[in-house]
Amino acid sequence: YGNFIDDLRVYVRGGTGGMGYPRLGGEGGRGGDVWFIAQERTTLKSIKDRYPQKRFVAGTGANSSVKALKGEKGKDCEVHVPLGISVLCNDGRQIGELNAVGERFLAARGGLGGSLVTNFLPCKGQRRIVHLDLKLIADVGLVGFPNAGKSSLLSKISHAKPEIANYAFTTVQPELGKIMYADYKQISIADLPGLIEGAHANKGRGHKFLKHVERTKQLLLVVDISGFQLSVKSRFRTAFETILLLTKELELYKEELLTKPAVLAINKMDLPHAKDNLNELMKQLENPEDFLHLLQEEMIPANTLEFKDIIPLSTYTGEGIEELKACIRKCIDEEAEQENEEYRRKKLLLLQTSE
């Protein structure tokens, strides 16, 4: 999966408390806590490089003494993690989430200091193994089968410089780019490793890819107008079949993904017969039910994706690129406006109920 790490298993242990002072009823200091704190410009790879042991242990509480009957608390251990982290137990249960800068999560609590209750003996801190699971946070997620031209599109519309070549799996790690607009508005866009049939069952890059789609606000499906074939052994798929297959993979992984706003980019319009293929595809998309008999039953999704816009383009000639950028901006702005409207409505409702 390249140098990109999106899952890290770490050991965390809260500090042990300090000893109590039985003769004078002194209380030992509490052990320090282990905290995860969300911070920008941090990666799981940098954590792994900096702490190869992947162990985070907080400080021990100070013992009670004649000079200080109440011992000081042990030093906290603070670990800076990237945004978009889910904290999972060893059994896969999610126990926390860090999505905004400065958000904190208590990973391991320190033990109590020795006191009358504990017979002046200190308690050990909480210890456990947790998984830091990263899901990229981006405004737009590029979804498409290998070689659909996602990396070329990302390099055209943003400042990212992904590796591009004419073979199926060029993208082996997610690439993040930013679309810059004339009014200085920035929209982040993520090119994620290509899906293949059966990705929902973790084939190819399966879940490693699909989990990153969860946190994007909008989907941008990229489809090759001339169709797609992964290898000599696999079947050739037309552009229409490709769209249905992508929808099916997203649906089988998590149905909520289909509720996200989606835009369809039809790439490689510079190829011969592209215009004829486009006309045929548009007919099929207008009435998909009439063409479902062409496919095997297991390929047909229960729900079809509603596209806000369908844009034919060519990353080779640059046709349709500006139109796509404008369309992405419009969709994101509409979404933000809707969120603001909902927020205002909730505030108003709260005011009315409090009155």
Side-chain angles (χ1 to χ4, degrees):
Y1 207 41
N3 287 326
F4 182 79
I5 297 174
D6 56 8
D7 180 58
L8 195 63
R9 188 167 169 265
V10 297
Y11 172 80
V12 289
R13 192 179 85 211
T16 308
M19 291 288 285
Y21 204 125
R23 221 175 49 187
L24 298 173
E27 198 176 302
R30 247 193 72 206
D33 304 317
V34 180
W35 290 90
F36 292 142
I37 302 169
Q39 190 184 47
E40 282 181 324
R41 295 188 177 85
T42 307
T43 62
L44 290 182
K45 189 178 184 305
S46 66
I47 296 172
K48 191 183 175 189
D49 292 345
R50 199 167 164 199
Y51 307 100
Q53 299 290 317
K54 296 182 287 186
R55 286 171 64 86
F56 300 101
V57 181
T60 308
N63 293 336
S64 170
S65 64
V66 177
K67 289 179 184 172
L69 285 179
K70 184 157 176 61
E72 278 191 20
K73 183 178 184 283
K75 193 169 185 255
D76 284 349
C77 171
E78 296 188 342
V79 187
H80 290 118
V81 298
L83 308 182
I85 285 285
S86 296
V87 185
L88 311 174
C89 278
N90 227 357
D91 60 4
R93 195 166 42 88
Q94 186 173 313
I95 50 174
E97 215 173 36
L98 298 158
N99 292 327
V101 176
E103 274 189 7
R104 297 164 69 89
F105 172 75
L106 180 60
R109 197 181 288 280
L112 293 170
S115 63
L116 187 64
V117 180
T118 63
N119 211 9
F120 298 99
L121 294 170
C123 299
K124 287 186 174 178
Q126 186 183 11
R127 61 178 74 195
R128 57 182 169 186
I129 287 169
V130 294
H131 288 262
L132 300 177
D133 189 43
L134 175 71
K135 291 173 187 169
L136 287 180
I137 299 175
D139 295 317
V140 182
L142 289 178
V143 180
F145 282 136
N147 222 351
K150 299 192 306 299
S151 298
S152 306
L153 183 59
L154 184 71
S155 66
K156 280 277 183 197
I157 61 176
S158 78
H159 294 282
K161 295 282 172 278
E163 195 180 317
I164 297 162
N166 190 26
Y167 51 86
F169 286 104
T170 319
T171 308
V172 291
Q173 61 186 51
E175 288 275 359
L176 268 176
K178 274 198 164 64
I179 309 176
M180 312 284 277
Y181 292 90
D183 61 353
Y184 303 107
K185 164 97 174 166
Q186 294 183 13
I187 289 176
S188 58
I189 184 160
D191 172 22
L192 307 152
L195 273 172
I196 61 168
E197 284 179 57
H200 68 277
N202 216 4
K203 277 191 192 171
R205 302 203 180 279
H207 293 177
K208 270 198 176 296
F209 160 85
L210 285 161
K211 70 173 189 181
H212 293 299
V213 183
E214 288 180 49
R215 288 214 176 134
T216 53
K217 293 177 187 168
Q218 181 185 322
L219 303 179
L220 175 58
L221 266 71
V222 186
V223 171
D224 184 337
I225 188 61
S226 54
F228 165 72
Q229 187 172 13
L230 183 65
S231 67
V232 185
K233 291 176 187 172
S234 54
R235 288 185 56 167
F236 174 79
R237 303 292 187 197
T238 63
F240 178 63
E241 287 177 337
T242 307
I243 293 165
L244 289 182
L245 270 172
L246 286 170
T247 310
K248 183 77 174 168
E249 289 303 332
L250 294 172
E251 181 183 83
L252 288 171
Y253 176 70
K254 239 186 198 166
E255 263 185 75
E256 302 96 86
L257 294 179
L258 298 186
T259 60
K260 290 180 184 288
V263 174
L264 176 63
I266 300 165
N267 194 14
K268 307 193 184 179
M269 286 303 293
D270 51 284
L271 294 177
H273 310 298
K275 290 272 190 291
D276 301 338
N277 290 341
L278 179 65
N279 293 335
E280 194 180 332
L281 177 61
M282 294 309 270
K283 269 186 222 159
Q284 290 169 325
L285 288 173
E286 272 171 34
N287 301 301
E289 302 80 28
D290 301 349
F291 299 93
L292 294 180
H293 65 275
L294 303 171
L295 307 166
Q296 300 103 305
E297 209 168 307
E298 64 271 11
M299 277 175 61
I300 302 166
N303 301 296
T304 48
L305 262 174
E306 292 288 322
F307 295 112
K308 280 186 168 269
D309 244 315
I310 298 173
I311 296 170
L313 57 90
S314 164
T315 51
Y316 182 69
T317 62
E319 172 205 337
I321 297 292
E322 288 307 313
E323 195 188 333
L324 178 66
K325 282 165 79 169
C327 172
I328 289 170
R329 170 76 187 264
K330 186 166 149 263
C331 290
I332 292 286
D333 287 350
E334 278 173 12
E335 201 68 18
E337 188 53 47
Q338 225 168 337
E339 279 175 21
N340 288 342
E341 191 55 50
E342 273 175 39
Y343 177 74
R344 282 198 290 268
R345 218 172 288 147
K346 278 180 189 169
K347 277 280 189 199
L348 195 65
L349 207 69
L350 275 170
L351 280 168
Q352 286 165 349
T353 50
S354 62
E355 280 168 14

